[in-house]
Amino acid sequence: MKVNRENRRIGKDVANLLHEAMKEKRLTCGLTAAVRQLELDPYKVAFCVLPQLTDGDRANHIHTVLLQAFCYERNIAIIQVENIEGLRYHTRAADCSCVVVLHPWEKGRDMCLEDHLLRRIHDFTSILQAQPIFKLPMK
């Protein structure tokens, strides 16, 4: 029960981060656009949010796995969410095969939300000892 509760809390934090980043125009949505952003300047990227992989499109699966490897190499946090519908709901984007969240634009701005989320995900992952998949609230 405690794991499910923490998963929901982190899912809510991810949703809050997506809303905040959307307001500040720090989101890049879609696999192609995300790859372009990562190619231009990977150090501007704070998070890569991906929906849980399904067995459907093999080409998309291969691109996603390569994107994950690229993010791991550059210490970009990967957040996996349960489904693409949750990402669409919180980003209002048509293509949510991948969502890249950039670091805040303002120099000196406290990364409180981003840092807090990273710590919670790290702690949660160490308990599970696996890559968690978070459920985004749909309200």
Side-chain angles (χ1 to χ4, degrees), residues 27-38 49-50 60 67 87 91 93-100:
L27 289 183
T28 302
C29 298
L31 191 58
T32 304
V35 168
R36 237 181 274 124
Q37 176 62 52
L38 287 164
V49 185
L50 296 165
N60 191 37
L67 176 72
L87 277 176
T91 62
D95 182 0
C96 290
S97 52
C98 176
V99 176
V100 168

Side-chain angles (χ1 to χ4, degrees), residues 82-102:
E82 190 174 61
N83 56 48
I84 201 164
E85 289 79 21
L87 277 176
R88 280 191 189 115
Y89 179 82
H90 290 286
T91 62
R92 300 182 190 129
D95 182 0
C96 290
S97 52
C98 176
V99 176
V100 168
V101 180
L102 301 177

Side-chain angles (χ1 to χ4, degrees), residues 2-33:
K2 186 177 179 181
V3 169
N4 287 338
R5 232 176 309 145
E6 185 62 11
N7 186 301
R8 283 193 304 272
R9 287 183 188 138
I10 293 173
K12 187 175 179 180
D13 287 348
V14 172
N16 289 338
L17 173 71
L18 291 171
H19 285 281
E20 190 68 28
M22 186 173 58
K23 283 193 298 190
E24 295 173 359
K25 300 191 185 324
R26 297 187 291 123
L27 289 183
T28 302
C29 298
L31 191 58
T32 304

Side-chain angles (χ1 to χ4, degrees), residues 14-73:
V14 172
N16 289 338
L17 173 71
L18 291 171
H19 285 281
E20 190 68 28
M22 186 173 58
K23 283 193 298 190
E24 295 173 359
K25 300 191 185 324
R26 297 187 291 123
L27 289 183
T28 302
C29 298
L31 191 58
T32 304
V35 168
R36 237 181 274 124
Q37 176 62 52
L38 287 164
E39 184 179 39
L40 288 174
D41 193 356
Y43 302 104
K44 288 183 179 178
V45 177
F47 296 96
C48 181
V49 185
L50 296 165
Q52 184 176 10
L53 292 173
T54 59
D55 293 334
D57 182 8
R58 291 186 194 270
N60 191 37
H61 178 83
I62 291 168
H63 286 123
T64 302
V65 170
L66 291 171
L67 176 72
Q68 288 174 325
F70 184 88
C71 290
Y72 284 129
E73 286 177 356

